[in-house]
Amino acid sequence: MVSSKVAVSLISLALTAVDAIPLAARLIGGDCTDFHLQGQWLVANCLPSQNTTTRIQSTIYLPNKITNHEGTLEWKQKGGYSQTCADCRIVDGPGLNCQCRPTGGPRKNTTLTLDEHIKNYSGHLLTDLDGTPTPPPISSSIDIPSDLTWSTFQGDNQCYSTNADSCKNFSPSPGSCPKQATAISSDGIPVQCQAFRIPVSIPVWETFGSLRVDASSQAYEVEIYDNLDCTGSPIKTIGPDKYGTCEKMPRQGYAFSVMPLWNADY
Ligand SMILES: *[C@@H]1O[C@H](CO)[C@@H](O)[C@H](O)[C@H]1NC(C)=O
Ligand SMILES: *[C@@H]1O[C@H](CO)[C@@H](O)[C@H](O)[C@H]1NC(C)=O
Ligand SMILES: *[C@@H]1O[C@H](CO)[C@@H](O)[C@H](O)[C@H]1NC(C)=O
């Protein structure tokens, strides 16, 4: 605890001393360009080492790292700040500046200093909220897409429940993927593990025998599991080459994850 505080104040001192160096370069004391927000993702292109000229694009999904605590931005896993904050932008510091709503009263103007918990690891910007991160062994060559939308369509459903009575009147959808998306994100929300609950408030799940994935970018991979925690090996993986087709599962799927194929810390 003490040593991390010392480190933070040393960084602040260093930042004051090098005011002439542009914001992007100052982040984590290295050579990064195009430092910006895309939707709720922080994006930067950094040099992995002094001898290289090819930059690595790395991104961080900020709602999973930052929260709005009574109108003040703070670091927190799965913090979800963006639900109650508006007009967010990157400011000198480097900081994330937003107008955030407290429980009562008007929005507050708040800025979080990003390099407190975002650092360069071999050219990848990563957060250290979970301890020192390990940079990915292989960097992705895929960039974060301009259209972040993905959607999934689960079909051939069966009712599953820990309560045997709740599935009595369930009529499964026959033989194909539905026309309406069953899950959709326009912000490119990464999904660690999601099951379908019907209704949302009680623990009754819908399993699925087929799944279609749509995305206008070639930038996601969806993994399907036969358990609610997404553990073990996926029973099916749907990548960009399978988008738009109703893929049959080898057995009923219970849950899925949606993973960005670009360099992403989420
Ligand atoms: C990132 O860290 C590597 C060492 O891990 C270093 O060689 C490189 O210069 C740093 N780049 C930036 C942008 O700070
Ligand atoms: C970087 O380049 C210098 C000079 O070209 C060389 O001496 C050094 O070994 C290189 N370092 C690495 C890590 O490749
Ligand atoms: C928020 O505060 C910063 C720093 O004091 C200031 O530069 C900025 O204009 C403020 N933004 C709003 C919307 O009030």
Side-chain angles (χ1 to χ4, degrees):
M1 222 44 214
V2 169
S3 65
S4 78
K5 273 209 174 121
V6 170
V8 168
S9 44
L10 284 179
I11 289 168
S12 318
L13 281 178
L15 286 179
T16 326
V18 292
D19 245 351
I21 300 171
L23 162 69
R26 270 192 279 143
L27 182 72
I28 344 294
D31 185 357
C32 298
T33 59
D34 302 328
F35 188 57
H36 67 281
L37 279 182
Q38 182 171 337
Q40 294 158 30
W41 292 84
L42 177 70
V43 184
N45 295 318
C46 302
L47 286 177
S49 72
Q50 265 131 25
N51 281 11
T52 53
T53 52
T54 310
R55 291 177 184 279
I56 297 174
Q57 186 195 64
S58 54
T59 70
I60 299 174
Y61 189 66
L62 295 177
N64 281 356
K65 315 291 180 184
I66 297 171
T67 192
N68 166 19
H69 180 242
E70 293 299 336
T72 301
L73 291 172
E74 289 177 1
W75 296 101
K76 191 183 179 199
Q77 305 273 20
K78 305 254 178 280
Y81 75 96
S82 53
Q83 290 171 7
T84 48
C85 297
D87 302 328
C88 294
R89 62 200 176 104
I90 299 297
V91 294
D92 218 348
L96 174 70
N97 172 253
C98 297
Q99 312 304 313
C100 296
R101 201 187 294 284
T103 311
R107 291 185 189 275
K108 287 190 189 171
N109 184 3
T110 169
T111 302
L112 183 70
T113 305
L114 289 173
D115 57 7
E116 287 171 4
H117 283 292
I118 297 176
K119 300 188 172 60
N120 159 40
Y121 298 86
S122 307
H124 289 259
L125 294 186
L126 299 170
T127 52
D128 63 3
L129 294 178
D130 259 345
T132 305
T134 312
I138 299 167
S139 293
S140 171
S141 57
I142 296 175
D143 277 353
I144 186 169
S146 51
D147 181 352
L148 288 160
T149 310
W150 59 257
S151 45
T152 58
F153 306 72
Q154 32 125 208
D156 298 322
N157 302 317
Q158 286 177 22
C159 189
Y160 160 85
S161 179
T162 46
N163 169 5
D165 283 344
S166 27
C167 288
K168 270 183 188 157
N169 301 321
F170 184 81
S171 47
S173 76
S176 64
C177 296
K179 288 204 172 66
Q180 289 274 354
T182 44
I184 186 161
S185 169
S186 53
D187 308 322
I189 295 176
V191 171
Q192 314 268 12
C193 186
Q194 177 168 316
F196 294 97
R197 292 175 177 234
I198 11 164
V200 178
S201 53
I202 59 165
V204 177
W205 285 271
E206 199 176 56
T207 65
F208 50 97
S210 51
L211 185 73
R212 186 180 119 208
V213 177
D214 277 4
S216 55
S217 63
Q218 306 284 295
Y220 298 97
E221 191 164 87
V222 175
E223 286 184 346
I224 298 100
Y225 293 83
D226 62 359
N227 59 76
L228 294 172
D229 310 310
C230 299
T231 52
S233 302
I235 57 169
K236 186 97 177 170
T237 299
I238 301 179
D241 57 326
K242 303 272 176 55
Y243 289 174
T245 62
C246 189
E247 293 289 312
K248 196 119 199 83
M249 301 297 121
R251 52 188 178 276
Q252 286 288 306
Y254 282 47
F256 64 83
S257 64
V258 181
M259 298 176 300
L261 291 173
W262 66 87
N263 295 315
D265 175 354
Y266 58 97

